[in-house]
Amino acid sequence: ALPTTVTNSAAVHTKTTMKTAIIATLVGSAAAFAPSPVARVESSLSYAKELDSMAGVSNEVGGKVWDPCGLSDYVPADWARRAELSNGRSAMLATVGWFFPKIFGTFDSTDVTTTDPIDAILQADPQWWVQFIVICGVFESWKYNQEMSGKSFLGGAAPAVDYLKLWPEDAAKQEELKLKELKNARLAMIGIAGLVSNHLLPGSCPVPPGF
């Protein structure tokens, strides 16, 4: 018979070996269910390169793409240009609407009697706003159908609206006209923002008296 000390030592060694084997088995099993390493996916969509071939770069921005916030990395360039032109065209109309009543007066009306554009918004009857929203919806639907037929509101294809026949045949002049519209659109957005800011905070912008 083996001494008691040797027997106890062998038993302890056996138990330790079994525990180690069990822990290793559990760790291996857990690792099988652990998520495998995934390559990091950048959130940026990297649309910036598309801006190089788009109109809009001129002397005002030093002859290079101006995107200080890096929005072109997250927003499709074509969508951003559509939004810019839509807002710019709306701003041009808004700027004309801001000055028109102060220079030419208002139309005959029983509800809107002020030449103040902000007050006029509040005085207008709700039915006019409903009509305005419906007209905008109809126009946007018509724009969509025109684009589906191959026409364009951005240039690069036959214009959807050109009643005055201003769209030139020459490609260089087309690019020049697109740049002119874009510049006026950007100026109008800055202008209407300044007019509204000066209305809410008098003296905040260099606006002529009475406007």
Side-chain angles (χ1 to χ4, degrees), residues 159-169 177:
V161 179
D162 187 22
Y163 299 123
L164 299 178
K165 305 300 180 183
L166 298 177
W167 185 248
E169 296 293 335
L177 187 60

Side-chain angles (χ1 to χ4, degrees), residues 114-184:
T114 180
T115 58
D116 186 299
I118 303 300
D119 289 342
I121 293 174
L122 302 176
Q123 288 185 7
D125 193 284
Q127 67 170 323
W128 300 115
W129 286 112
V130 173
Q131 293 179 20
F132 174 74
I133 293 172
V134 171
I135 290 175
C136 288
V138 171
F139 186 65
E140 288 297 323
S141 176
W142 180 76
K143 283 174 57 179
Y144 176 79
N145 290 330
Q146 290 294 308
E147 289 185 337
M148 290 295 98
S149 65
K151 295 185 177 181
S152 173
F153 284 86
L154 302 177
V161 179
D162 187 22
Y163 299 123
L164 299 178
K165 305 300 180 183
L166 298 177
W167 185 248
E169 296 293 335
D170 183 66
K173 292 184 178 180
Q174 290 178 2
E175 292 300 317
E176 181 182 352
L177 187 60
K178 287 194 292 185
L179 183 59
K180 286 181 179 179
E181 182 188 23
L182 196 57
K183 287 186 175 184
N184 280 281

Side-chain angles (χ1 to χ4, degrees), residues 66-110:
W66 189 75
D67 185 19
C69 296
L71 298 180
S72 61
D73 289 336
Y74 303 95
V75 179
D78 183 65
W79 182 90
R81 175 49 51 84
R82 291 171 182 272
E84 182 181 24
L85 274 177
S86 294
N87 283 282
R89 290 163 178 170
S90 297
M92 287 188 276
L93 291 173
T95 302
V96 173
W98 189 282
F99 286 97
F100 186 91
K102 295 180 179 293
I103 297 175
F104 300 101
T106 61
F107 298 109
D108 292 335
S109 174
T110 57

